Amino acid sequence: MKKKKGRYQKSDPGKNKDRKYTSYEDAPLREYKDEDPIPGNITKKFFKVFLILFLSVAAVLALLNLDKLTPDNISHWFQYDLLGKTEGNGYPVRFNGTVVEKENFSVMDGAAVYCSDTSVVVLNSNAGEYQNSQHAFANPVLKSTSGYSIIYNSDANGFMIISRDKMIHSASSQQKIYEADIAHNGVYAILNHGSDYLAELSVYKNDNTRKFEYSFADYYVNNVSINKDGTRAALSGTLANNGSIISVIYILDFSQGNYLQKYEFDNSFIYDIEYLDNGNVFAVGSDMAYFIDVENSQKKDIPYNLRTLSNYEISRSQGLILSLSTDSGGHECDIICFDTEGKRKAEFSTDSRVVSIDAFNDKIAVLTQNNLGIYDKNGNKQKDIQIDSDAKKACFADKNNLYILGTSRISKVTIEE
């Protein structure tokens, strides 16, 4: 049998006695090149399979987040998430300005946003600044959605609109502003003191051109909430009549010249109103809350049953949470949660004064002095977290993280699963 010749075949000791050994450094590359490379056709097949899997995953993610695939969001993801811009030094972080009212602290697309007496600031998950915009408003008020925030000067004329990482628009209205709100797509509404009417509503497209106007002659309308698509609005107002108060809720459709629905209430003052993402409406009054199924034109009363409203939170995506106290000092509170269909989903009690409440899916956060309690939908306390005594508000960023507003700084709490 003929012996196969190989690179490392042992030579005859009697031959080539003067031959020197050759190292790999001296040998040409072709002489010690890998004799069993991966075939080119296998490499191409692997690349094709990988590309198909990558595109499939990308397509699924795109379909699940179709409403968020805007040029601004793509640019934001590239700059901040992929390239790591504004990484930050972690929480807690001192805020800019002297004071931040609890109503001016919120979450915008998972980022903490606040408006102080000097600035509006958006922070990432590590306290890095997405943006920091100055303002000169004497009475700033912040309203946020997932993609935008509008900041207006209450009982004055100025307002500004921001996205997560830039200033979008800044302007002044002709009349003083009662309230303003903005939709997920950037359509916004300004509710003004009227010149010839008691109140006037102006709605603008996201390019700042006016798309709708409505005037109110019968009520001092002072609350407005615009729906997710920027096509409808819910408003509330009051009127004094022979020593009593009459309140009203309007549902407006921007494609119609008259109101879509109208509800009136005797001897009740409405503090707040919110158009939910699913098309329903919650309103919170002095002695009762209200749920409105807009599509079916049905209103449901939520009485407080001789209890005093001590705190509340309305979330566009989560629903309504009420803190009702049986004690004149605000202690001994009953926590009641309603989902976006107006159904009661949780109820439990606490013997402490409730400073702030919030919910995310089946988790409910109850902020009291020095403590943050995390409850499940059955009212069972899952976590007890000690926090700063000056904490004023707690907001869920996602199911496992909350931002906490204090008197001079913002903290972050992570809930261990």
Side-chain angles (χ1 to χ4, degrees):
M1 179 184 293
K2 185 176 181 181
K3 189 174 183 181
K4 184 177 178 181
K5 185 178 180 180
R7 181 186 301 172
Y8 302 112
Q9 180 180 328
K10 188 176 180 181
S11 61
D12 186 338
K15 296 181 180 180
N16 301 321
K17 291 183 180 180
D18 298 330
R19 183 177 175 178
K20 296 181 180 180
Y21 290 106
T22 303
S23 71
Y24 281 117
E25 286 76 10
D26 298 326
L29 285 176
R30 66 176 184 272
E31 290 192 17
Y32 57 90
K33 176 180 164 183
D34 188 357
E35 293 182 345
D36 297 307
I38 299 174
N41 59 339
I42 294 179
T43 304
K44 291 179 180 178
K45 287 180 180 179
F46 174 79
F47 177 76
K48 288 180 180 179
V49 171
F50 174 80
L51 183 61
I52 291 171
L53 289 174
F54 175 80
L55 293 176
S56 299
V57 172
V60 170
L61 292 175
L63 288 172
L64 293 175
N65 298 275
L66 193 59
D67 58 332
K68 297 182 179 180
L69 291 180
T70 64
D72 283 345
N73 284 347
I74 294 172
S75 173
H76 178 94
W77 172 82
F78 182 78
Q79 293 182 66
Y80 295 92
D81 296 329
L82 186 62
L83 299 184
K85 188 177 178 182
T86 66
E87 289 182 349
N89 295 317
Y91 291 92
V93 60
R94 298 186 66 87
F95 55 70
N96 295 333
T98 305
V99 63
V100 177
E101 302 293 344
K102 62 183 297 185
E103 295 80 10
N104 288 339
F105 178 68
S106 186
V107 172
M108 183 170 61
D109 199 17
V113 54
Y114 70 85
C115 182
S116 71
D117 52 339
T118 62
S119 310
V120 56
V121 180
V122 185
L123 301 173
N124 68 8
S125 59
N126 203 36
E129 289 187 356
Y130 283 139
Q131 74 157 306
N132 184 339
S133 299
Q134 304 295 307
H135 70 77
F137 298 160
N139 299 297
V141 180
L142 170 74
K143 294 284 288 290
S144 297
T145 63
S146 63
Y148 297 92
S149 289
I150 187 167
I151 304 94
Y152 62 92
N153 199 3
S154 179
D155 205 32
N157 304 82
F159 68 93
M160 55 197 290
I161 296 170
I162 65 169
S163 65
R164 191 164 55 170
D165 52 6
K166 66 180 178 180
M167 170 73 68
I168 301 295
H169 182 61
S170 179
S172 293
S173 62
Q174 293 183 349
Q175 303 296 327
K176 291 182 179 180
I177 301 173
Y178 277 125
E179 197 174 61
D181 196 27
I182 193 164
H184 293 308
N185 59 6
V187 174
Y188 62 96
I190 307 291
L191 182 62
N192 297 104
H193 296 239
S195 53
D196 300 321
Y197 295 89
L198 298 181
E200 297 175 346
L201 177 71
S202 298
V203 180
Y204 299 86
K205 300 177 183 177
N206 56 14
D207 62 359
N208 305 307
T209 58
R210 188 172 297 177
K211 68 176 288 186
F212 180 79
E213 289 182 296
Y214 197 91
S215 299
F216 301 91
D218 300 327
Y219 288 87
Y220 290 95
V221 177
N222 56 359
N223 292 313
V224 60
S225 179
I226 195 168
N227 72 343
K228 180 179 180 179
D229 301 324
T231 57
R232 290 180 174 179
L235 305 98
S236 67
T238 58
L239 180 68
N241 183 27
N242 296 325
S244 63
I245 293 176
I246 301 175
S247 293
V248 66
I249 290 177
Y250 288 101
I251 306 296
L252 299 182
D253 189 309
F254 302 154
S255 65
Q256 300 182 21
N258 201 359
Y259 58 80
L260 184 66
Q261 295 168 31
K262 180 181 178 181
Y263 304 92
E264 294 177 306
F265 316 92
D266 292 332
N267 300 314
S268 179
F269 184 85
I270 296 177
Y271 298 131
D272 201 358
I273 194 165
E274 198 75 61
Y275 222 124
L276 309 181
D277 287 346
N278 69 344
N280 294 325
V281 171
F282 271 118
V284 176
S286 55
D287 59 352
M288 191 177 298
Y290 306 94
F291 172 78
I292 299 174
D293 180 346
V294 176
E295 292 305 315
N296 295 307
S297 302
Q298 294 180 349
K299 176 182 69 71
K300 182 176 74 172
D301 297 343
I302 304 172
Y304 299 159
N305 296 327
L306 302 179
R307 294 169 294 186
T308 303
L309 179 68
S310 61
N311 221 306
Y312 73 90
E313 184 70 25
I314 313 177
S315 167
R316 296 174 191 256
S317 61
Q318 302 293 321
L320 170 67
I321 314 175
L322 298 172
S323 173
L324 304 175
S325 177
T326 58
D327 176 74
S328 59
H331 297 78
E332 304 294 334
C333 293
D334 296 331
I335 310 299
I336 310 174
C337 301
F338 299 86
D339 65 18
T340 56
E341 296 296 336
K343 298 177 181 178
R344 186 173 303 200
K345 67 176 185 178
E347 182 171 0
F348 55 93
S349 299
T350 174
D351 58 2
S352 301
R353 187 176 68 86
V354 174
V355 176
S356 170
I357 44 181
D358 199 16
F360 194 98
N361 297 339
D362 291 333
K363 293 179 180 178
I364 302 158
V366 179
L367 177 64
T368 59
Q369 189 175 23
N370 297 319
N371 182 267
L372 179 67
I374 305 299
Y375 297 80
D376 63 18
K377 63 181 180 180
N378 297 317
N380 300 314
K381 184 178 282 190
Q382 303 296 307
K383 298 287 180 182
D384 229 352
I385 304 169
Q386 296 298 308
I387 57 171
D388 295 338
S389 60
D390 66 348
K392 298 190 290 184
K393 189 174 182 180
C395 295
F396 273 104
D398 52 47
K399 67 178 182 178
N400 293 323
N401 295 282
L402 296 100
Y403 293 116
I404 311 294
L405 172 67
T407 56
S408 62
R409 65 181 189 171
I410 295 169
S411 304
K412 184 180 178 182
V413 171
T414 298
I415 306 169
E416 297 293 338
E417 288 290 348

